Amino acid sequence: MLRHEYSHSEKRTKHAEEKLQIARRAVELIEEGSTIFLGTGTTVEQMASMLPTFRLRIVTNSLSVFNLLEAREDCELCLVGGMYRRRTAAFVGPMAEDTLRALGIDAAFIGANGILDGDVSTSNRDEARIQQLAFSKADSRYLIADSSKIGKRDFYTFCLDSLDAVVCEPDIADEDRAAIEEHTQVIC
């Protein structure tokens, strides 16, 4: 069990190269003209800064992701509002859930704090609820997480089996790959 939730700025420096590799691979999964959900997290932020330069509709509850994309004219942005959680720069809660519930999403990309025994976990229940809801509304569901998250769990969990794939860095250890592949596909 993780004993400490790192701040957003602390997370940016952890496993930075792996996050770049994962983000590069994840953006290859995006199709022109699609509606994508980008959740919170520093790997998702890396992904946002690498999005292809074609027409997209982007839904996010992350103020950081919104700020990275707000000047792009080829992107239609939908910031899902609600209660602001400073620790992760995310909007959460019933208002955010109500907005997200009404939307159709082609692909959802989220990060996590842990992957263990078929569960994905994060430190905050409200953030996990938004992630679960985004996955339930999406045609394709991707967890983007570096292998340091494998074998760890945090406070609030949801199922790994509902994902289309976990996008990891290319040099993931064989045992880590096998642990994920018991539940879903791994994309490197």
Side-chain angles (χ1 to χ4, degrees), residues 56 131-132 187:
L56 289 171
Q131 292 170 337
Q132 279 184 288
I187 297 175

Side-chain angles (χ1 to χ4, degrees), residues 76-177:
E76 182 181 331
L77 281 172
C78 175
L79 179 61
V80 176
M83 294 302 297
Y84 184 66
R85 188 165 187 265
R86 280 182 180 76
R87 189 130 189 106
T88 56
F91 292 96
V92 297
M95 289 189 309
E97 292 170 23
D98 287 347
T99 301
L100 193 54
R101 201 171 278 117
L103 304 178
I105 299 168
D106 294 308
F109 298 85
I110 66 159
N113 291 347
I115 306 168
L116 179 66
D117 297 332
D119 289 327
V120 176
S121 61
T122 190
S123 62
N124 181 271
R125 179 181 181 265
D126 291 331
E127 283 194 33
R129 287 177 53 102
I130 287 287
Q131 292 170 337
Q132 279 184 288
L133 183 56
F135 277 166
S136 75
K137 301 298 291 183
D139 295 332
S140 300
R141 297 157 300 280
Y142 301 102
L143 178 70
I144 56 174
D146 65 79
S147 60
S148 73
K149 314 280 176 70
I150 300 169
K152 296 186 173 73
R153 71 179 164 90
D154 208 339
F155 177 65
Y156 195 85
T157 62
F158 55 100
C159 188
L160 189 58
D161 293 321
S162 66
L163 300 178
D164 289 286
V166 175
V167 183
C168 287
E169 70 271 19
D171 58 351
I172 183 174
D174 290 341
E175 62 271 10
D176 289 340
R177 178 187 286 272

Side-chain angles (χ1 to χ4, degrees), residues 43-64:
T43 308
V44 176
E45 287 174 22
Q46 290 291 339
M47 188 180 162
S49 66
M50 297 178 187
L51 288 174
T53 55
F54 52 58
R55 188 179 51 82
L56 289 171
R57 181 181 296 133
I58 299 164
V59 178
T60 188
N61 68 319
S62 167
L63 185 58
S64 299

